[in-house]
């Protein structure tokens, strides 16, 4: 159906909603990347097939009248609770099943569809109370969240434009084109306090104002979906779960600054996100919601997709622009800033996926409601990818200003396997590692900067007491050094030397002089690098030196790794009271470092020991320890 006017869109929404309202039940199977990898699409196909066999299925894909109350089985975007996937949710009851397999479908259909019952074994069990939780709203993982960006991820079919339209989709752009001037849109975004969700937190409305004031017939909007932080998957999940919200956000931004063309820059490692974004663009074009004279307003806008090759540096604005232009993705000096001279020399606004996905909420509900969440200087909500040694890994969205403690222990359920909290790495390679005494720190752009960290794109990696912080700093430095474009000397050479120093320390060859050199070099790289990648690269080093200096001291002075994680600093020892002299350890040792007579305690020659751990792995009596 071609949507030519605002009335056409309104009538279509009413028609689709009427069809959806006739559904007796809707079953939503999570088709986020994690659940797909665990077999959720097989669950979806099996459910759909079984419901159809029973003669209960219905569909509104063609927006036709539904003749009976039926059951719809749909895929959806990421539900967020990745630790418990594949997830299946029933609406309107809210019943949520976890870790569902294809072989569970028969029981689900018989119990929950035919007999309106509950399969207890598929419910989430609260580890604190031991109680089974039936619905998503009762689940401790969800109940403390406030979903704005992720509101419809997991609730609608990302491949169905009608489903999006039924859930107030494209209502915001209709309102903008019908009722607001470009400046009024900018003012509303300024009033909302929305700050860029991709890293630095620059006020979105101010950035738009710069581009809107620039002369010239051609301007661009770029959606930055080049999410490269280890452990981060927020933007990917939004593109996979609600792609039309990103398109609508780009249209609103384009109208506000006077742009008629946009690019979505997404890394090629996100094939599912790219596939769904391409379909969303094609469907929007086919229905007249992208292209020429949108909704009869005279506003023209088209969107292209550019697949990135996976270079982390292309998350930086000017490197991203260079990549779209067909050049090697390398940062450019600023000024001029992209808002003045960006893509092909034209004024260009670059917002990340989450920033753009927030716009429909602000326009539909007003700046005041958006500001009611969060803090004075950091309004709204923020999505975080909760990963690491936490009980409940997944995608969460909370109001800005909540504490790390709430996210890690209330939503995340604390650390798994009895581990004790040690640190959280926030903001990815550009962020910092924060200690237990920072758990009550509010998640706020400005507050985190004060302690040497940053919100970044929203990665949260939780680490337990068996994590070596020197090794952690080395890991992130290795990542950054590998991703450096090499254009400026401080980043190219500085990160290489920082990595060499950290490697030296983890191998037990470092000195206390090396610690002073490490800190001095990190500051120089931070101050002298050209782009944001280099300027923030030393943050994990600086924060671990600041908050875990005693651990560095142990490595260089005592030649010990307190966490027992650095392989080179491990010392294997055989407890003579436990050793039975079975000779298994001596037979598996590749270096011949273990000696002893049969049925007599064995010993390890530490000078010959390769510290491979083969002996410890094979010992049946637990006699081999690390000290």
């Amino acid at each position: 159906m071609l949507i030519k006017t605002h009335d056409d869109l309104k009538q279509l929404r009413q028609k689709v909603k009427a069809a959806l309202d006739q559904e007796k039940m809707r079953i939503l199977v999570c088709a986020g990347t994690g659940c797909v990898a665990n077999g959720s699409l097989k669950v979806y196909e099996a459910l759909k097939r079984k419901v159809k066999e029973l003669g209960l299925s219905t569909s509104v894909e063609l927006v036709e009248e539904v003749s009976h109350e039926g059951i719809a089985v749909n895929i959806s975007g990421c539900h967020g609770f990745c630790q418990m996937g594949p997830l299946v949710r029933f609406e309107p009851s809210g019943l949520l099943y976890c870790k569902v397999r294809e072989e569970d479908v028969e029981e689900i259909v018989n119990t929950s569809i035919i007999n309106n019952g509950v399969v207890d074994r598929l419910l989430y069990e609260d580890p604190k109370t031991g109680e089974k939780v039936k619905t998503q709203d009762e689940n401790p993982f969800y109940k403390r969240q406030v979903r704005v960006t992720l509101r419809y991820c997991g609730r609608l079919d990302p491949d169905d434009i009608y489903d999006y339209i039924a859930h107030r989709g494209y209502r915001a752009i209709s309102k903008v084109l019908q009722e607001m001037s470009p400046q009024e849109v900018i003012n509303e975004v300024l009033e909302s306090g929305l700050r860029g969700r991709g890293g630095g937190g620059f006020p979105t409305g101010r950035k738009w104002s710069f581009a809107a004031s620039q002369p010239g017939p051609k301007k661009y909007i770029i959606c930055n979906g080049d999410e490269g932080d280890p452990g981060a998957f927020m933007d990917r999940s939004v593109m996979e779960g609600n792609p039309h919200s990103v398109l609508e956000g780009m249209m609103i931004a384009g109208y506000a600054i006077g742009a008629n063309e946009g690019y979505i820059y997404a890394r090629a490692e996100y094939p599912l996100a790219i596939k769904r974004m391409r379909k969303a663009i094609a469907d929007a074009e086919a229905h007249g919601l992208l292209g020429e004279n949108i909704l009869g307003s005279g506003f023209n806008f088209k969107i292209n997709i550019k697949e990135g090759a996976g270079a982390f540096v292309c998350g930086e604005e000017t490197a991203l622009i260079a990549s779209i232009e067909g050049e090697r993705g390398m940062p450019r000096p600023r000024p001029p800033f992209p808002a003045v001279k960006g893509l092909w020399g034209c004024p260009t606004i670059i917002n990340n996926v989450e920033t753009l996905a927030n716009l429909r909420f602000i326009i539909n509900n007003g700046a005041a409601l958006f500001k009611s969440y969060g803090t004075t200087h950091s309004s709204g909500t923020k999505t975080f990818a909760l990963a690491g040694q936490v009980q409940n890994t997944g995608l969460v969205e909370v109001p800005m200003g909540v504490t790390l403690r709430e996210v890690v222990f209330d939503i995340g359920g604390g650390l798994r396997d009895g581990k004790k909290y040690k640190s959280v790495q926030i903001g990815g390679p550009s962020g910092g590692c924060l200690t237990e005494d920072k758990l009550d720190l509010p998640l706020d752009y400005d507050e985190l900067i004060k302690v040497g960290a940053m919100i970044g794109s929203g990665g949260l990696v939780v680490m337990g007491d068996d994590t070596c912080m020197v090794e952690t700093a080395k890991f992130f430095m290795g990542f950054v050094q590998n991703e450096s474009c090499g254009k400026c000397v401080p980043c190219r050479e500085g990160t290489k030397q920082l990595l060499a120093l950290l490697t030296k320390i983890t191998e037990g060859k470092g000195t206390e002089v090396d610690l002073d050199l490490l800190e001095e070099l990190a500051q120089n790289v931070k101050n002298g690098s050209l782009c944001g990648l280099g300027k923030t690269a030393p943050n994990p080093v600086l924060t671990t030196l600041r908050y875990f200096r005693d651990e560095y001291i142990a490595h260089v002075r005592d030649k010990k790794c307190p966490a027992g994680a650095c392989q080179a600093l491990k010392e294997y020892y055989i407890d003579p009271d436990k050793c039975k002299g079975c000779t298994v350890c001596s037979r598996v040792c590749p270096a011949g470092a273990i000696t002893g007579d049969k049925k007599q305690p064995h010993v390890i020659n530490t000078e010959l020991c390769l510290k491979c751990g083969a002996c410890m792995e094979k010992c049946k009596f637990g006699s081999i320890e690390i000290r």
Side-chain angles (χ1 to χ4, degrees):
M1 176 182 175
L2 193 61
I3 305 169
K4 297 181 179 180
T5 67
H6 300 282
D7 285 340
D8 288 347
L9 180 62
K10 185 176 180 181
Q11 289 169 13
L12 177 60
R13 180 176 295 110
Q14 291 171 345
K15 188 175 183 181
V16 179
K17 280 178 62 65
L20 290 174
D21 288 343
Q22 292 189 54
E23 291 176 351
K24 183 179 180 180
M25 179 186 293
R26 172 174 273 210
I27 304 172
L28 295 157
V29 181
C30 180
T33 298
C35 283
V36 168
N38 280 319
S40 68
L41 293 185
K42 291 182 179 179
V43 174
Y44 164 69
E45 292 296 340
L47 272 169
K48 190 167 67 169
R49 184 171 58 251
K50 191 67 179 176
V51 169
K52 188 175 181 179
E53 287 174 4
L54 294 171
L56 299 173
S57 65
T58 186
S59 173
V60 295
E61 289 180 6
L62 300 177
V63 203
E64 296 173 349
E65 293 298 324
V66 181
S67 59
H68 64 280
E69 289 187 342
I71 296 173
V73 181
N74 294 97
I75 63 167
S76 73
C78 179
H79 291 200
F81 205 1
C82 304
Q83 184 76 24
M84 292 292 144
L87 299 163
V88 175
R89 188 172 67 247
F90 288 71
E91 294 203 355
S93 68
L95 178 65
L96 181 69
Y97 286 143
C98 304
K99 296 186 177 180
V100 180
R101 302 296 177 196
E102 186 180 4
E103 51 267 30
D104 298 322
V105 168
E106 187 82 26
E107 185 178 1
I108 289 172
V109 171
N110 291 333
T111 304
S112 301
I113 296 178
I114 296 176
N115 296 307
N116 201 31
V118 176
V119 183
D120 284 342
R121 66 182 181 83
L122 295 177
L123 295 176
Y124 174 72
E125 183 178 307
D126 189 334
K128 293 182 179 179
T129 64
E131 295 180 4
K132 296 283 188 177
V133 181
K134 290 185 179 180
T135 68
Q136 178 171 310
D137 291 341
E138 297 170 344
N139 194 305
F141 179 79
Y142 291 101
K143 68 193 301 183
R144 292 179 175 85
Q145 296 186 46
V146 175
R147 298 199 152 204
V148 173
T149 306
L150 302 177
R151 183 177 182 183
Y152 294 113
C153 287
R155 292 186 179 273
L156 54 79
D157 185 340
D159 284 333
D160 188 354
I161 189 172
Y162 297 128
D163 207 355
Y164 180 71
I165 289 172
H167 290 87
R168 302 178 83 193
Y170 293 108
R171 182 177 179 271
I173 187 62
S174 177
K175 178 181 178 181
V176 161
L177 296 178
Q178 199 171 20
E179 303 174 16
M180 302 174 75
S181 68
Q183 188 57 51
E184 285 175 329
V185 176
I186 293 174
N187 291 343
E188 190 74 11
V189 175
L190 279 168
E191 178 61 25
S192 73
L194 176 65
R195 295 172 67 168
R197 297 302 198 241
F202 192 83
T204 303
R206 281 179 58 194
K207 183 187 279 193
W208 289 7
S209 296
F210 298 150
S213 64
Q214 297 303 309
K218 189 69 176 178
K219 299 177 183 179
Y220 292 95
I221 293 291
I222 296 177
C223 169
N224 186 350
D226 191 63
E227 184 178 48
D229 290 6
F233 49 92
M234 298 76 59
D235 291 348
R236 183 192 73 192
S237 297
V238 174
M239 288 189 287
E240 290 177 355
N242 196 358
H244 287 280
S245 69
V246 182
L247 303 188
E248 190 170 7
M250 292 180 72
M251 294 165 71
I252 293 167
Y255 175 76
I257 73 163
N260 61 9
E261 189 171 0
Y263 278 84
I264 296 170
Y265 189 94
R267 51 183 42 230
E269 295 95 327
Y270 287 177
L272 184 58
I274 291 170
K275 177 185 175 183
R276 289 181 179 167
M277 290 304 306
R278 287 193 191 282
K279 187 176 190 309
I281 292 170
D283 288 347
E285 289 174 341
H287 288 76
L289 292 169
L290 276 177
E292 303 293 317
N293 193 26
I294 297 169
L295 297 175
S297 65
F299 174 60
N300 306 324
F301 199 75
K302 74 172 189 175
I303 295 177
N304 314 283
I305 290 184
K306 168 71 175 180
E307 293 186 38
F312 181 67
V313 73
C314 285
E316 195 276 336
E317 291 187 343
T318 58
L320 185 154
I321 288 172
S323 181
I324 293 177
E325 291 175 342
E327 298 179 12
R328 182 179 176 185
M330 298 178 75
R332 299 167 179 172
R334 298 184 296 178
F337 290 92
V340 177
K341 186 179 179 182
L343 188 61
W344 289 300
C346 300
T348 303
I349 287 299
I350 304 172
N351 292 132
N352 93 313
V353 170
E354 186 181 347
T355 307
L356 292 165
N358 269 299
L359 294 175
R360 58 167 285 185
F361 180 90
I362 293 169
I363 298 299
N364 282 332
N365 301 285
L369 181 58
F370 187 81
K371 284 182 72 174
S372 68
Y373 305 120
T375 65
T376 303
H377 300 293
S378 297
S379 60
T381 61
K382 180 73 185 80
T383 60
F384 291 95
L386 189 57
Q389 297 177 335
V390 69
Q391 292 271 10
N392 300 328
T393 60
L395 189 66
V396 305
E397 184 173 3
V398 292
M400 298 288 277
V402 303
T403 64
L404 277 168
R405 188 182 301 277
E406 290 175 84
V407 175
V408 174
F409 290 93
D410 294 340
I411 296 174
L415 278 73
R416 60 174 180 261
D417 302 327
K419 290 183 172 64
K420 183 181 177 183
Y421 173 91
K422 185 171 188 177
S423 177
V424 64
Q425 168 73 8
I426 181 167
S430 302
C433 300
L434 300 179
T435 49
E436 189 171 7
D437 63 324
K438 302 294 186 297
L439 277 173
D440 294 311
L441 189 75
L443 291 172
D444 173 291
Y445 288 105
D446 306 316
E447 292 299 318
L448 285 172
I449 288 173
K450 290 177 184 177
V451 295
M454 62 188 296
I455 291 280
S457 59
L460 270 177
V461 182
V462 181
M463 292 171 276
D465 51 4
D466 60 347
T467 303
C468 172
M469 301 313 298
V470 185
E471 184 66 39
T472 298
K474 176 188 165 188
F475 167 79
F476 282 109
M477 187 51 58
F479 175 84
V480 171
Q481 199 277 322
N482 197 46
E483 294 291 341
S484 174
C485 74
K487 184 171 184 176
C488 70
V489 174
C491 180
R492 183 184 70 233
E493 299 299 328
T495 56
K496 185 177 181 180
Q497 294 306 315
L498 285 171
L499 178 60
L501 283 169
L502 289 166
T503 301
K504 182 181 177 183
I505 292 169
T506 57
E507 290 179 350
K509 302 172 184 176
T511 66
E512 291 186 58
V513 174
D514 290 326
L515 298 188
D516 296 330
L517 180 58
L518 188 69
E519 191 162 19
E520 181 183 358
L521 181 55
Q523 287 291 354
N524 288 336
V525 172
K526 187 181 185 74
N527 296 332
S529 294
L530 173 63
C531 79
L533 183 146
K535 288 183 179 299
T536 57
N539 282 352
V541 176
L542 291 170
T543 53
T544 51
L545 277 169
R546 181 177 176 181
Y547 300 120
F548 299 95
R549 198 174 190 90
D550 57 336
E551 206 158 314
Y552 278 89
I553 294 294
H555 280 72
V556 299
R557 183 184 295 166
D558 305 325
K559 307 302 179 187
K560 298 284 185 182
C561 175
C566 293
Q567 192 70 21
L569 296 179
K570 291 179 178 178
E571 184 178 332
Y572 287 86
Y573 163 78
I574 298 177
D575 186 339
D577 295 330
K578 295 180 180 178
C579 181
K580 306 299 181 184
C582 69
T583 74
V584 169
C585 59
S586 62
R587 282 184 275 127
V588 299
C589 179
I594 302 177
T595 57
D597 296 329
K598 196 169 185 178
K599 296 186 179 181
Q600 295 296 320
H602 284 42
V603 294
I604 299 176
N605 185 327
T606 55
E607 292 184 2
L608 295 177
C609 179
L610 300 177
K611 303 176 183 181
C612 65
C615 56
M616 191 174 188
E617 183 181 336
K618 293 294 183 180
C619 181
K620 298 178 181 179
F621 307 104
S623 63
I624 302 177
E625 304 169 357
I626 297 174
R627 63 180 183 182

